[in-house]
Amino acid sequence: MKYAVVGAILAMTGISAQTIHYPEARKGDVVDDYHGTKVADPYRWLEDTDSAETAAWVTAENQVTQAYLSKIPERAGFKERLTRLYDYERFTHFEKAGPRYLFFRNDGLQNHDVLYVSDGLAGTPRVLLDPNTLRADGTAALAGAVADREGKRLAYGIAEAGSDWAEWRVRNVETGQDLADRVRWTKFLPVAWAADGSGFFYLRFPEPKPGEALRGANTNSKIYFHRLGESQSGDRLVYERPDHPEWLWEPYVSDDGRYLFIVVQTNDFAKNLLYYQDLRDPSHKTVELIHELDAAYLPLGTAGSNLYLRTTWQAPKGRVIRIDLAHPERANWHEVVPEQAEAMDAAMMANGCFVVNYLKDASSQMKVFGADGALKHEVSLPGPGKVALFPARQQDREAFFAFTSYTAPRTIFRLDLQSDRTEAVRQSKLSFDPGQFVTDKVFYSSKDGARIPMSLVHRKGIRLDGSNRTVLYAYGGFNVNMLPEFSPWVIAWLESGGVFAVANLRGGGEYGEAWHLAGVKEKKQNVFDDFIAAAEWLIAERYTSSSRLAIFGGSNGGLLIGAVLNQRPELFGAAMPAVGVMDMLRFQKFTIGAAWTGEYGSSDNAADFEVLRAYSPLHNIHVGGRYPAVLITTSDHDDRVVPGHSFKYAATLQAAQAAGRPVLIRIETRAGHGGGKPTAKLIDEYADRLAFLTRELQ
C-alpha cells in the first residue's frame, strides 16, 4: 500500500521528531443526490469491511497508530498501573431466582465476570457459568442471562467478537449442564421465560445473507416462543408486523404467567406502544392496548386484570399508573405514584410496594411507595452516585440494588421491604485510596441560557491556574442518563494529576422527557452548544486551558465529539471520538441505524437532510483546517455503529489536517461496540488513550 506524508514534523517529548506517514486512501467518484444537493462520498469503499482493499488500509492504519503510541514513554507505566487498578474483586449484579441467588463476580483480571449461584442468601456460592472458558482470547462474552422464576434453568446468550448477535443456550442450574437447545439470530433484547419454565419468548431477525451479518439492516424482527427440547426451526411465531419492518418487540411475561406484554419499540427512544396476549387464550389474540405513540409505557406488574405501568403520559418526569385491562379506556386510567419534582429513572414492584429510582441533578435518589402510592420511606444511600435496580418478583420481600460513584466501585445492597432496612451483601475491594479525590457538582449556562449540570472529579487541593490536563466526557442523546460510574482508567488519570469532567447535556433524560426532546432532530445543536459551553466554563474557571483540554465520547457521544471538533477546533488540545456515528447522511442504511431516525431524523427527508448536513462530522471537515490531535477508536466487529463511519471519517480528517497534529485511528480486532470487551483489551485500549493524552496535552 502506498503512503502519503501528512502534517508537519512533530516535536515529541521523549520521542525523536518524526513525520507521520498515513496510509494513502483512494478517492472514489461516488456522488449522491440528496433532494437536489450533490454530496461526494469519496471513501465509500471503506464501508465494505470485508474487502481486501479495506483490510489492507486497516492493517496499515493500525501499524501507524501503534508505532506512534508505542514510542510514548508513559504508556508502559499507564499499562502497569491500569493492570493493578483492574485487579480487584468486584460484583456487578445480584438477584433472586426462586430459592436461589445469582450474582456476577470478577476476581480481578478475569476477562469477563463469572456467574455464581448460591442456595439461600448465606449459602456457599458455586460457579454456574464462566464465560472465560468459552475462548482463550476472551472474545466470546455473555450477551445476557435470565433465570426462570423457579431458579431451575438459566437461558444465556453468547456473543462472539463483540457483535450484537447472540446465540441463546439453556443451562440446568442444579447440575450446571447445558441442554441441547440453541436459539440463533437474536440481538438487543433478553428472553422472557414462560411462567411454567417450559420455554421462553424471544426476538428474532431473519438470517442475514452471506457477508451481511455485520452491516445489513436489522429489519423484519418477530417474536417467537421456543419450547425446551425442540429445534428452533419449529418455534412458534408469536407476533410480527410486516407493515413496520423497522419496529422491535420486547417480550415481558407477568409474574402470574397470565399475560405476555409486548413493548413495541419504534424509532423513538423515549416512547413506545404496548400490546399484550392473554396466554390463557388459545387463539393467541394480540390486543393493541397502547396504539398511540405519545409517551413511554413500561410494564411493572399485574394484579388480576390490573396492569401497573411506569409512564411519561401527561407526566414528562414519569409516574406509575394502573390500567384495568377489562376496561382499558384512558378515562379509566388511575394514577398510583404521582409525578415528582425529580425524573423517574427506574421502578419495580415487590412485596406490594413500588421501589423507584429518581434522578436529582444527575445523581440517584431511591424511594419506596406503598400499594396506594403513598411514600413509605426514602432509602439512605452512601452519597451522590448511581443506583442500579436488579430484577425482582412481585412476591419477593426483598430487593437488591447496586450503588457506585466515580471513585467507588459497585456495592451490592439488600433492601428488606418489610423492615425497610438496608445492608451491604457484596462489596468490591478497592486497590487505591479514594480519600485523595473529590467530586464536585457545578452548574453552568449554555449558549441559550439553559442551566447544565457537570461533575468534576480530581485530586484534593488542585491549583486552578489553567494547567490541569482535563478530559471532558459526555453523551447527549437517546434519553440516556450520564450518572456517576466507576472506571479504573479514570482513577489512573486522576492519579497522574488529571481532571475528569462529565457534562449532563440536553438530549439525555436527567431531567425528564422535556430535557431529552430539547436535544433531538432540529434541536441537536443544543447538545453541541451545551458541550462547548462546558469546555468554555472549564477554561474560564481556570481548571484547564485549551491546549490541555481533551474531549471524549462514544457512539452518539462520538458523533458529539466529531461535531464540536468541526465547530470549535481551536477550543481543544485533543479529541477522542469512539465508535462514533460520523456519517449522518447514511447511518440509517446499516444494522440498527433505521431505529435512530426518531432521534436524528433521516436524510431521506428533505428538511431533516438540511439539519443533518449542517453538523454531520464527516461532511463538515474543512480541507486545510487546523485540528487538535485526534485518536479515533472503533472495532472491526462493531455491528451497531458500523466501523465504516470511523474509517471514512479518519481518511477524510487525515487528508484535511493542516495543523501538524496527529490524526490516528485505533481499530480493535475481534471486538464490537464495547459490550463484552475483555479486560485485557480494555487495559491496552486505555493505556493507549492515556499515553496519547499525556503526550498531546502539552
Side-chain angles (χ1 to χ4, degrees):
M1 175 173 283
K2 297 180 180 178
Y3 288 81
V5 178
V6 179
I9 293 179
L10 305 175
M12 304 181 68
T13 303
I15 310 173
S16 60
Q18 68 178 40
T19 300
I20 297 182
H21 299 262
Y22 299 122
E24 182 178 337
R26 172 179 60 84
K27 286 191 174 183
D29 57 3
V30 176
V31 176
D32 294 312
D33 188 325
Y34 293 94
H35 315 287
T37 299
K38 302 294 179 63
V39 179
D41 193 2
Y43 301 116
R44 177 73 61 82
W45 59 272
L46 282 170
E47 291 179 356
D48 184 359
T49 51
D50 293 328
S51 76
E53 187 177 18
T54 300
W57 180 87
V58 166
T59 298
E61 287 283 359
N62 271 339
Q63 289 173 346
V64 169
T65 298
Q66 289 307 314
Y68 186 90
L69 296 174
S70 65
K71 292 185 175 67
I72 300 175
E74 292 85 356
R75 188 191 183 284
F78 275 124
K79 182 171 182 179
E80 180 182 353
R81 183 56 183 147
L82 285 167
T83 301
R84 293 202 303 271
L85 286 169
Y86 270 97
D87 192 9
Y88 71 100
E89 183 185 26
R90 53 191 177 271
F91 302 89
T92 53
H93 186 91
F94 200 104
E95 68 175 281
K96 186 178 182 182
R100 298 183 168 100
Y101 294 84
L102 305 175
F103 63 90
F104 281 99
R105 173 186 176 270
N106 193 308
D107 66 13
L109 294 176
Q110 289 174 294
N111 277 321
H112 302 288
D113 298 344
V114 178
L115 179 60
Y116 288 80
V117 61
S118 65
D119 297 321
L121 193 59
T124 301
R126 57 185 171 85
V127 173
L128 176 59
L129 181 60
D130 184 357
N132 299 290
T133 64
L134 297 173
R135 283 187 64 95
D137 63 359
T139 59
L142 275 181
V146 184
D148 66 13
R149 62 197 58 222
E150 299 300 325
K152 294 180 178 179
R153 298 179 183 88
L154 178 82
Y156 66 97
I158 298 297
E160 290 280 351
S163 170
D164 283 328
W165 290 114
E167 178 183 276
W168 284 81
R169 308 172 186 177
V170 180
R171 178 158 294 190
N172 183 304
V173 175
E174 180 66 37
T175 67
Q177 299 300 307
D178 278 356
L179 282 63
D181 301 75
R182 297 289 187 273
V183 170
R184 304 185 67 205
W185 304 118
T186 74
K187 59 167 53 180
F188 305 129
L189 298 173
V191 305
W193 281 96
D196 61 3
S198 61
F200 51 79
F201 299 89
Y202 67 98
L203 178 79
R204 176 183 171 183
F205 291 88
E207 182 174 349
K209 296 178 182 178
E212 290 295 312
L214 299 181
R215 293 196 304 273
N218 298 141
T219 56
N220 296 300
S221 64
K222 304 173 185 179
I223 289 184
Y224 285 87
F225 179 75
H226 175 71
R227 185 170 295 278
L228 296 186
E230 297 183 0
S231 169
Q232 184 180 12
S233 62
D235 286 353
R236 175 171 63 87
L237 175 63
V238 174
Y239 193 72
E240 65 175 333
R241 283 289 293 273
D243 56 327
H244 289 288
E246 74 281 9
W247 288 5
L248 301 178
W249 322 94
E250 181 174 2
Y252 167 84
V253 177
S254 61
D255 276 359
D256 61 8
R258 176 176 175 179
Y259 297 104
L260 168 68
F261 292 101
I262 302 173
V263 178
V264 185
Q265 299 183 0
T266 63
N267 59 10
D268 192 318
F269 276 70
K271 300 174 184 177
N272 63 277
L273 309 178
L274 184 64
Y275 304 160
Y276 75 91
Q277 293 181 3
D278 187 335
L279 296 177
R280 301 182 309 179
D281 182 356
S283 72
H284 304 300
K285 176 185 176 182
T286 299
V287 179
E288 296 186 2
L289 178 65
I290 309 292
H291 52 81
E292 297 178 27
L293 192 65
D294 56 6
Y297 299 93
L298 303 174
L300 297 178
T302 60
S305 64
N306 286 317
L307 167 65
Y308 293 88
L309 295 171
R310 175 163 70 95
T311 183
T312 54
W313 178 65
Q314 297 185 351
K317 291 189 177 180
R319 60 176 174 163
V320 176
I321 65 171
R322 183 180 70 240
I323 300 176
D324 185 346
L325 297 179
H327 304 282
E329 298 79 12
R330 292 192 182 224
N332 298 328
W333 292 6
H334 179 76
E335 180 176 82
V336 181
V337 178
E339 184 180 29
Q340 310 284 306
E342 294 78 30
M344 184 179 289
D345 182 48
M348 65 182 180
M349 288 180 67
N351 196 45
C353 301
F354 298 95
V355 181
V356 185
N357 183 33
Y358 290 97
L359 300 180
K360 183 175 178 59
D361 296 330
S363 284
S364 292
Q365 280 187 336
M366 193 170 166
K367 299 179 181 180
V368 180
F369 298 86
D372 60 355
L375 177 65
K376 291 186 63 180
H377 78 288
E378 183 170 340
V379 179
S380 178
L381 299 175
K386 174 184 177 180
V387 163
L389 297 178
F390 299 133
R393 304 293 183 194
Q394 288 180 232
Q395 69 272 20
D396 289 348
R397 298 179 179 180
E398 59 190 351
F400 296 91
F401 66 93
F403 178 85
T404 186
S405 71
Y406 290 115
T407 57
R410 283 190 170 193
T411 297
I412 308 296
F413 289 93
R414 176 183 180 269
L415 172 61
D416 188 316
L417 292 171
Q418 294 180 303
S419 67
D420 294 335
R421 290 196 301 267
T422 303
E423 61 175 336
V425 294
R426 295 289 188 279
Q427 191 154 7
S428 303
K429 294 180 173 58
L430 298 176
S431 57
F432 65 98
D433 175 17
Q436 61 187 307
F437 307 120
V438 64
T439 300
D440 297 321
K441 179 62 63 68
V442 301
F443 296 87
Y444 64 91
S445 294
S446 190
K447 183 178 181 179
D448 62 357
R451 185 172 182 260
I452 314 296
M454 178 164 58
S455 295
L456 304 176
V457 194
H458 52 79
R459 282 188 182 274
K460 292 179 177 178
I462 64 167
R463 292 185 298 176
L464 300 183
D465 58 4
S467 66
N468 301 297
R469 293 188 180 101
T470 299
V471 173
L472 173 59
Y473 186 88
Y475 187 80
F478 291 93
N479 205 36
V480 172
N481 304 316
M482 296 303 297
L483 306 181
E485 191 77 65
F486 179 78
S487 297
W489 79 264
V490 172
I491 302 303
W493 178 246
L494 301 179
E495 289 177 340
S496 72
V499 174
F500 182 60
V502 179
N504 297 102
L505 316 179
R506 284 174 286 185
E510 288 87 349
Y511 293 103
E513 178 59 359
W515 191 256
H516 168 231
L517 292 177
V520 305
K521 291 188 174 180
E522 72 279 2
K523 296 180 181 178
K524 191 68 175 178
Q525 185 59 42
N526 284 338
V527 181
F528 310 141
D529 290 341
D530 292 354
F531 193 72
I532 290 168
E536 292 174 333
W537 187 93
L538 289 166
I539 294 168
E541 296 297 319
R542 305 283 291 162
Y543 279 89
T544 191
S545 57
S546 289
S547 64
R548 294 205 157 201
L549 175 61
I551 52 176
F552 180 24
S555 195
N556 176 76
L559 155 64
L560 166 70
I561 302 307
V564 300
L565 196 62
N566 289 330
Q567 295 180 15
R568 293 292 303 276
E570 82 291 347
L571 193 57
F572 317 111
M576 298 191 301
V579 293
V581 188
M582 300 310 205
D583 185 345
M584 298 308 298
L585 303 185
R586 287 177 56 79
F587 71 86
Q588 72 275 19
K589 298 182 181 298
F590 304 101
T591 61
I592 197 60
W596 310 335
T597 57
E599 185 82 8
Y600 298 138
S602 170
S603 60
D604 296 333
N605 176 282
D608 289 346
F609 164 73
E610 295 296 336
V611 173
L612 294 166
R613 177 68 177 81
Y615 71 78
S616 176
L618 177 66
H619 299 95
N620 287 278
I621 295 171
H622 302 292
V623 175
R626 300 185 62 79
Y627 294 95
V630 180
L631 177 59
I632 305 157
T633 50
T634 188
S635 300
D636 63 351
H637 277 66
D638 190 343
D639 51 358
R640 193 173 308 176
V641 179
V642 294
H645 280 278
S646 292
F647 292 177
K648 295 197 298 182
Y649 175 75
T652 304
L653 191 58
Q654 286 175 348
Q657 172 70 297
R661 305 294 300 281
V663 175
L664 306 172
I665 181 168
R666 184 187 189 278
I667 304 157
E668 186 64 80
T669 57
R670 288 196 59 78
H673 198 61
K677 186 173 290 185
T679 299
K681 285 184 179 289
L682 288 173
I683 290 173
D684 277 336
E685 183 175 322
Y686 280 107
D688 284 344
R689 283 191 174 124
L690 295 178
F692 173 79
L693 293 177
T694 301
R695 160 64 189 91
E696 299 302 331
L697 297 181
Q698 301 295 334

